[in-house]
Amino acid sequence: MYQIRNFTDNRNIRVLDEKGAFTVVEYVKDLSVSPQNAQVAYFCNEMNVRKRQVICELSKAQVTIQAGAMQWMAGNVNATTGVKGVGDFLGKAMRGKVTGESAIKPEYTGDGTLVLEPTYKHILLEDLDDWGGSIVLDDGLFLACHSSLKHKAVMRNNLSSAVAGGEGLFNLGISGKGVVCLESDYPKEELIEITLNNDVLKVDGNFAIAWSSTLEFTVERSGKSLIGSAASGEGLVNVYRGTGKVLLAPVH
């Protein structure tokens, strides 16, 4: 048996969110400062620039994490590559190549505790039941998820989506029943959630960080004609059409 003290029970650490196997904690203040960097630490704290960490309780679910994200683990924890054969390896390597994600994401099993590296980014916990069972992520968002979830490369409907929309041709899609942990530049409080019911959302720029895989994503002219688009000053826009959800950042 193991005991962990002075971690989540520390007065300088607060719990921000809990879902499934994941708990997100935040350090209220950076106490490891010197006179040389005390001023920077003070203003970082005032501007919500704080260290955050994800705690994974494997007794609740096995987890898959981004390569290199593990900081420490206690108890019965076993790490595997998650590769189930040559074909699986080639498929994951190809998916990693086109999505820009790590080809091999380690899986952790057992009933111990796994803690991920601290980050100054914001951690979002999303239950895929709230997304109709599947979600598509912008590049670099994936941090961890329940290992029961399936990963796949989601291709744009047309090449113009990648070239004109300023996006990659592929994105990482995750589906199944469980929780995914995202590492975001934006806090949950700033993200705009838009639910479409057989409707359309047009965005001038790469502000969508996640969307339902049920939505069709294309790049289109903002106006019905080239002259109309030029007159509006908008040009091309990212279009999400159908039924599903979109998480939209207010700034980029």
Side-chain angles (χ1 to χ4, degrees):
M1 294 292 293
Y2 65 94
Q3 291 182 324
I4 301 173
R5 295 190 179 93
N6 199 35
F7 190 23
T8 55
D9 56 338
N10 188 309
R11 287 186 298 176
N12 194 48
I13 292 179
R14 61 186 171 202
V15 174
L16 296 182
D17 198 6
E18 295 180 272
K19 278 190 179 74
F22 303 112
T23 299
V24 181
V25 298
E26 178 181 76
Y27 292 79
V28 178
K29 290 184 178 181
D30 188 354
L31 302 179
S32 303
V33 296
S34 65
Q36 290 75 25
N37 59 14
Q39 185 176 18
V40 173
Y42 172 81
F43 284 106
C44 282
N45 181 68
E46 290 297 306
M47 294 303 297
N48 196 34
V49 180
R50 302 186 179 101
K51 290 180 182 177
R52 302 171 183 92
Q53 277 188 293
V54 177
I55 304 169
C56 312
E57 294 297 343
L58 300 183
S59 59
K60 296 181 179 179
Q62 299 177 10
V63 300
T64 299
I65 69 172
Q66 189 66 273
M70 187 275 291
Q71 187 189 45
W72 59 272
M73 47 192 175
N76 177 29
V77 180
N78 304 297
T80 70
T81 61
V83 176
K84 301 174 177 62
V86 176
D88 187 40
F89 171 77
L90 292 175
K92 289 181 176 179
M94 181 62 70
R95 185 180 67 227
K97 182 70 174 177
V98 299
T99 62
E101 301 282 343
S102 59
I104 303 301
K105 296 179 174 65
E107 295 182 7
Y108 289 84
T109 63
D111 55 12
T113 299
L114 168 70
V115 180
L116 305 189
E117 289 277 0
T119 177
Y120 282 107
K121 290 191 174 184
H122 302 275
I123 307 299
L124 311 177
L125 299 182
E126 297 294 334
D127 191 332
L128 291 196
D129 281 347
D130 299 330
W131 290 82
S134 61
I135 190 172
V136 181
L137 305 178
D138 197 17
D139 295 343
L141 248 72
F142 177 82
L143 180 60
C145 71
H146 289 173
S147 296
S148 57
L149 298 176
K150 296 181 180 179
H151 301 221
K152 66 177 180 179
V154 178
M155 186 178 182
R156 301 287 190 236
N157 286 340
N158 52 46
L159 185 60
S160 67
S161 299
V163 178
E167 301 273 2
L169 184 57
F170 293 88
N171 282 93
L172 177 64
I174 302 178
S175 61
K177 191 174 182 63
V179 178
V180 60
C181 181
L182 310 180
E183 195 174 29
S184 168
D185 290 328
Y186 318 99
K188 187 76 171 179
E189 294 81 1
E190 283 189 349
L191 293 173
I192 302 165
E193 183 179 301
I194 298 175
T195 301
L196 299 175
N197 184 10
N198 194 27
D199 214 324
V200 60
L201 169 68
K202 297 183 179 182
V203 184
D204 182 21
N206 305 332
F207 294 100
I209 68 168
W211 56 93
S212 302
S213 64
T214 51
L215 293 173
E216 176 189 8
F217 172 54
T218 58
V219 173
E220 302 173 8
R221 294 193 300 268
S222 59
K224 293 184 178 180
S225 66
L226 287 174
I227 295 176
S229 296
S232 69
E234 298 297 334
L236 298 169
V237 292
N238 292 333
V239 179
Y240 304 85
R241 183 177 281 107
T243 299
K245 291 200 309 182
V246 180
L247 270 185
L248 205 62
V251 295
H252 198 282

